[in-house]
Structures are given as C-alpha cells and as structure tokens.
Amino acid sequence: MKSRPVVMEHFSTVHTSFVVNFTFTNNITILMGDSGTGKTAAFSFIKECMAMNPKILCLDYFDYQKNIKEILCRASGKLIVIDNADILLDDDARKYISQDAANQYLLIGRNPKNLFATKENLFELISEKVGEQTEFTFQPYM
C-alpha cells in the first residue's frame, strides 16, 4: 500500500521544549509504540497547529461518539491525524481510509491490527534530546 503523500511531505512544529519533525513517505503512515513513548504528546502538538493550518484535521478519544467515517468522507485535501486509531476506528472507517485518495493519514496507536498495515507504512516514534529540546521523529518499524 505504498503511495506518495498527497497533502504534505513534511510537518514540523515547536512547542516549548519539544519539536515535532515528521517526514512522510507514504499517504498512510501508521505510528506505533508502547505506552508512554510520546505518541499522544506529539499528537497534541500537531492538534495545536490545526487552528492555524486548514490542511490538518485531528481526531482522538473526544470524538469516539461521532461518526468517524462520515467526518472522513467530508474531508478533502487534509492531513488527518487520528490518535488511538486502533481503538477509535471501526472496520468501515478503516476500509474507507485504505481507499481514500483525497486525504493523507497519520494513524497513531499501539496495535496496527486491521489498519491495512504494510512494512512500508509502519513507523515507530523516536524521541531524542537535542540540547534543551526533545525532538520527535519517526523511523521505519522493525
């Protein structure tokens, strides 16, 4: 399921002593990692940018009662970032994402099961101290 990013190839933001610096190589990026590795922190920093960047749409546990697939169907030209995607997305939404050519996805979770994952779109979060800042990047999983 390798396809090039349709919205952005790079995303970067600075929040106090944290830097999020993501380079996308696929249209669907699945960011995995154990609990406590910084996935939700990185998500919250991206979500802060949503107010200023109309190309970003963030969904998380606050959206669990909403019809996620309907939200996805109405979006176009967005980087859609979903925290706890392995829990939040039902099978219909997962299928829709796998076929959506109008948006780009960053799916964050602990378990990629049923997210149509391939080796090309599985990544793990890397947290590295650079001077006084902590930089979040990701690298291919495995």
Side-chain angles (χ1 to χ4, degrees):
M1 174 183 330
K2 184 166 174 68
S3 61
R4 60 184 277 297
V6 296
V7 177
M8 63 180 71
E9 292 183 3
H10 186 259
F11 174 84
S12 183
T13 187
V14 177
H15 177 82
T16 61
S17 63
F18 294 94
V19 176
V20 176
N21 193 9
F22 291 166
T23 299
F24 299 102
T25 57
N26 296 289
N27 198 44
I28 300 174
T29 301
I30 300 172
L31 185 58
M32 301 177 7
D34 291 332
S35 186
T37 57
K39 298 182 308 296
T40 297
F43 171 82
S44 68
F45 303 146
I46 296 169
K47 189 172 184 177
E48 286 180 359
C49 295
M50 187 171 70
M52 297 179 300
N53 188 337
K55 290 186 175 186
I56 298 173
L57 172 63
C58 294
L59 302 168
D60 63 7
Y61 62 92
F62 288 117
D63 301 300
Y64 80 96
Q65 290 183 326
K66 297 178 182 174
N67 184 335
I68 300 295
K69 184 180 175 193
E70 183 179 312
I71 293 169
L72 300 178
C73 288
R74 286 184 289 167
S76 182
K78 305 268 187 195
L79 170 64
I80 301 175
V81 185
I82 305 174
D83 192 23
N84 294 307
D86 48 344
I87 298 168
L88 191 60
L89 299 174
D90 63 19
D91 288 340
D92 282 345
R94 292 166 201 245
K95 184 176 180 182
Y96 181 83
I97 288 169
S98 72
Q99 299 172 359
D100 185 5
N103 297 295
Q104 181 177 334
Y105 292 89
L106 174 57
L107 306 176
I108 302 172
R110 285 187 237 155
N111 183 351
K113 183 179 178 185
N114 295 330
L115 288 175
F116 301 100
T118 66
K119 182 181 177 186
E120 288 80 22
N121 62 353
L122 282 177
F123 294 84
E124 63 182 324
L125 187 69
I126 302 300
S127 163
E128 183 178 7
K129 193 82 167 158
V130 179
E132 296 296 315
Q133 295 181 314
T134 300
E135 183 176 16
F136 292 119
T137 59
F138 51 74
Q139 69 182 19
Y141 184 74
M142 293 186 225

